[in-house]
């Protein structure tokens, strides 16, 4: 674009704000109307993390929440999310994803796991907020659960208890060995 055309464009553009009519509309007598905003409803999605099978991994760190309304991806996260929708029958779906890479060099292994998929049909009226709870599964092989009331706390995870017990025994055994070594050093 030649400099003179750029200058003209900037001069014409500076006379208008973002909400004014398009450039040149004042010369043509064109009225600009904004389209009417359709009535809207809301889906209040509350995502509750599950009890991870690993004692030292929390769902909130490393597991992403993906929410879909009528197969269209919406932004969501652990906790509370408000999803604007047009009134009518909708299908809410949630899927969890974990991503990790091993190695850090090009060509290294990449892990991308999708799990916890669940769907629920909803009817949303104009101005209505529908509250839905999603409870994440306790493991990769089970689906997530939807409910209209807060989910009960997850059941006790036996694998997690076993991991903590084994680590406690290993720690006690290590302290016993260190104590025995110190006793031998001091006694000699």
């Amino acid at each position: 674009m030649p400099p003179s055309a750029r200058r003209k464009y900037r001069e014409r553009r500076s006379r208008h704000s973002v909400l004014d009519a398009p450039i040149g509309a004042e010369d043509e007598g064109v009225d600009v109307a904004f389209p009417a905003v359709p009535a809207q409803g809301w889906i209040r999605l509350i995502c509750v993390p599950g009890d991870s099978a690993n004692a030292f991994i929390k769902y909130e760190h490393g597991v992403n929440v993906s929410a879909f309304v009528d197969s269209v991806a919406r932004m969501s996260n652990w906790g509370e999310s408000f999803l604007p929708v047009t009134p009518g029958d909708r299908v809410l779906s949630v899927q969890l994803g974990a991503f990790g890479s091993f190695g850090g060099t090009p060509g290294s292994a990449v892990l991308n796991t999708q799990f916890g998929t669940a769907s629920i049909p909803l009817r949303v009226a104009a101005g209505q907020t529908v509250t839905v709870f999603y409870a994440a599964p306790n493991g990769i092989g089970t689906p997530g659960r939807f409910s209209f009331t807060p989910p009960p706390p997850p059941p006790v995870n036996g694998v997690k208890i076993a991991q903590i017990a084994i680590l406690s025994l290993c720690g006690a055994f290590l302290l016993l060995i260190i104590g025995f070594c110190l006793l031998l050093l001091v006694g000699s």
Side-chain angles (χ1 to χ4, degrees):
M1 181 184 286
S4 60
R6 248 183 291 172
R7 186 172 28 82
K8 270 185 170 177
Y9 174 78
R10 272 193 240 122
E11 286 172 5
R12 289 179 68 191
R13 195 71 189 142
S14 67
R15 291 191 308 233
H16 300 280
S17 73
V18 174
L19 298 177
D20 284 344
I23 294 174
E26 72 279 356
D27 301 331
E28 300 167 14
V30 175
D31 288 333
V32 176
F34 292 106
V37 176
Q40 126 177 340
W42 297 86
I43 297 175
R44 179 180 172 222
L45 175 62
I46 300 174
C47 295
V48 181
D51 193 17
S52 173
N54 189 321
F56 305 102
I57 295 177
K58 300 282 186 193
Y59 265 71
E60 297 91 339
H61 310 289
V63 177
N64 301 324
V65 179
S66 299
F68 301 89
V69 176
D70 295 334
S71 300
V72 176
R74 299 294 181 97
M75 202 163 139
S76 184
N77 207 346
W78 293 110
E80 185 177 46
S81 299
F82 286 90
L83 311 173
V85 295
T86 55
D89 294 334
R90 303 281 165 245
V91 176
L92 174 65
S93 302
V94 173
Q95 184 177 33
L96 303 178
F99 177 79
S101 62
F102 304 97
T105 59
S108 61
V110 174
L111 170 70
N112 188 7
T113 305
Q114 303 294 324
F115 65 100
T117 303
S119 296
I120 187 171
L122 301 171
R123 178 166 287 159
V124 181
Q128 179 187 21
T129 300
V130 178
T131 300
V132 181
F133 292 88
Y134 170 80
N138 288 345
I140 291 180
T142 57
R145 298 178 320 274
F146 277 114
S147 66
F148 294 104
T149 58
V156 176
N157 191 338
V159 174
K160 186 181 282 188
I161 292 172
Q163 286 176 342
I164 293 172
I166 289 170
L167 276 172
S168 298
L169 287 173
C170 289
F173 186 67
L174 183 64
L175 287 175
L176 184 66
I177 291 173
I178 291 172
F180 184 70
C181 289
L182 287 175
L183 185 64
L184 285 177
L185 284 172
V186 172
S188 56

